[in-house]
Amino acid sequence: MQGKEDVFDIVIAGSGPAGSACALALKNSGLKVAMVDRSTFPRDKICGDAIGGRVKKVLREIDPDLLAELEGYPSKNRSSGWKLFSPNGKTIEVNFVNPGYVSRRLDFDSWLFGKTTGQNYLEMIYSEIRDINADTSSVQLTLQGDRKIHASLAIGCDGAHSVVAKKLADFKVDHRHYSGAVRAYYKGVEGTLGSEMLEIHLVKGFLPGYFWIFPLNDGLCNVGFGMLSTDIKERRIDLKTSLKQIIQSSPALSKRFANAELVDDVKGFGLPLGGKERTISGERFILCGDAASLIDPLTGEGIGNAMLSGLYAARQAIQCFQKNNFSVGEMKHYDEAIYKKLLPELKKNLMMQRAFNRPWLINLLVNVAIANPGLKNWFAKKL
Ligand SMILES: Cc1cc2nc3c(=O)[nH]c(=O)nc-3n(C[C@H](O)[C@H](O)[C@H](O)COP(=O)(O)OP(=O)(O)OC[C@H]3O[C@@H](n4cnc5c(N)ncnc54)[C@H](O)[C@@H]3O)c2cc1C
């Protein structure tokens, strides 16, 4: 492919949840689209694998048949609520208003990506994006092997380390709005078989961090530990070591993991959190999902917001072509639409995340919630 040049209307960088949702939403646009990903699918993505209720809503908006297909998709476990274990050992259970699923990203992303394949309007290019530049007339991408792609518009869905965000929006990591987390798969964790509850454990000695156990459909559990980057740095936390220490040091957890088997390496990745307004578009580009820092700062969920932003980006792209306008001013409509929908919830959950860094407050809230079911219902509506 050395030196080959291609011209498209739109190039989508990355085919995770944001990119695939965007590609699907462009189906009847009449535009010529390229989607570039360095991975072939199925591919893993380090994640808690919790597919929240928003994913279902976005799928329904793109095409109700997609939601029906996900509902019939076998590689998933239903998730009907959270079970929070507070540092004082007490627990509360909160049922979701919109239940979701737990599905390995290896499976879910491959399922979603699979819906984009075999379409005439879309060319899939498996390659690494090495560079991107934009000027008033087009965007140019340089792929591995020096292949060049030209397009009128680039949609950056290339995740937490987005080349598009770094190059075109000058994004830098803000550690106050960034978390680190590790994920492991365990077989045989006691008390999880058939469970639909997403467990969050706030463990004494490992705060302000959160340990999770999310049951999958095949007897395995996604187990992980995450913390805000500023705390990781300040306290010099090794997340991988902490995950194992939590299991060993907590009497309740060590009992439940006594016969459990780690089935894969413990792996870590970053979470660019939302809650702070940024510029997520510019002349001839739009950012979506992790590339736009849209992860919920309280729950760590980013798949639903990634897909929602992919859908909104597709709508904005169609507007750009109809008006033949790819200016900063036109793209601002995308920022406004995303932040109108997501910023109030992201800001509120950022405040809750900051408050939950105080163990005494969590203990107090859990005690109050146990005594007051009304507060539990309030929580359920917030999650
Ligand atoms: C440990 C952990 C636990 C999490 N738990 C949950 C959870 O339980 N539920 C939830 O909703 N969210 C969770 N998240 C967040 C969630 O994983 C992300 O928000 C989500 O994956 C964002 O989707 P995306 O499409 O924006 O990016 P991604 O899923 O990262 O997809 C980006 C795609 O771009 C491709 N790409 C990247 N760079 C290039 C390049 N230079 N060239 C070509 N291709 C490229 C990648 O191969 C990838 O396919 C978690 C995150 C972490 C780290």
Side-chain angles (χ1 to χ4, degrees), residues 173-181 207-209 226-237 239 271 273 350 353-354 357:
V173 172
D174 177 350
H175 291 286
R176 290 163 307 143
H177 295 270
Y178 207 92
S179 279
L207 295 167
M227 199 180 258
L228 199 65
S229 287
T230 41
D231 292 313
I232 295 173
K233 275 182 100 180
E234 210 176 286
R235 301 178 50 193
R236 298 191 186 163
I237 302 285
L239 292 172
L271 294 88
L273 306 176
L350 177 66
Q353 179 229 62
R354 303 285 198 244
N357 278 352

Side-chain angles (χ1 to χ4, degrees), residues 151-165:
S152 297
L153 178 66
I155 304 182
C157 304
D158 48 340
H161 305 144
S162 167
V163 175
V164 184

Side-chain angles (χ1 to χ4, degrees), residues 1 19 41 50 57 62 78 96 131 152 163 174 200 205 225 246 257 265 274 329 347 364 366 372 382:
M1 285 297 171
F41 287 71
K57 282 189 180 171
I62 297 173
R78 199 179 123 92
F96 293 135
D131 198 10
S152 297
V163 175
D174 177 350
I200 299 286
F225 179 58
I246 289 170
F257 278 79
D265 294 340
K347 277 192 165 164
L364 181 75
V366 169
N372 180 357
K382 306 283 156 202

Side-chain angles (χ1 to χ4, degrees), residues 13-24:
S15 4
S20 291
C22 184
L24 288 166

Side-chain angles (χ1 to χ4, degrees), residues 14-19 36-39 41 43 45-50 105 109 127-129 157-159 163 181-182 212 214 269-271 288-291 295 300-304 306:
S15 4
V36 187
D37 203 296
R38 62 182 165 211
S39 304
F41 287 71
R43 63 103 179 87
K45 160 76 179 81
I46 298 156
C47 186
D49 299 336
R105 293 291 297 277
D109 286 20
S127 187
E128 181 161 282
I129 301 163
C157 304
D158 48 340
V163 175
V182 290
W212 72 80
F214 295 168
F269 206 71
L271 294 88
C288 300
D290 284 9
I295 296 180
E301 287 185 336
I303 302 167

Side-chain angles (χ1 to χ4, degrees), residues 257-309:
F257 278 79
N259 298 313
E261 185 193 332
L262 180 65
V263 297
D264 193 6
D265 294 340
V266 183
K267 292 177 185 161
F269 206 71
L271 294 88
L273 306 176
K276 177 178 111 171
E277 208 165 338
R278 303 157 194 258
T279 300
I280 51 174
S281 68
E283 183 149 35
R284 294 195 178 270
F285 75 91
I286 297 171
L287 302 176
C288 300
D290 284 9
S293 297
L294 292 176
I295 296 180
D296 186 303
L298 182 66
T299 65
E301 287 185 336
I303 302 167
N305 289 351
M307 290 175 62
L308 182 88
S309 58

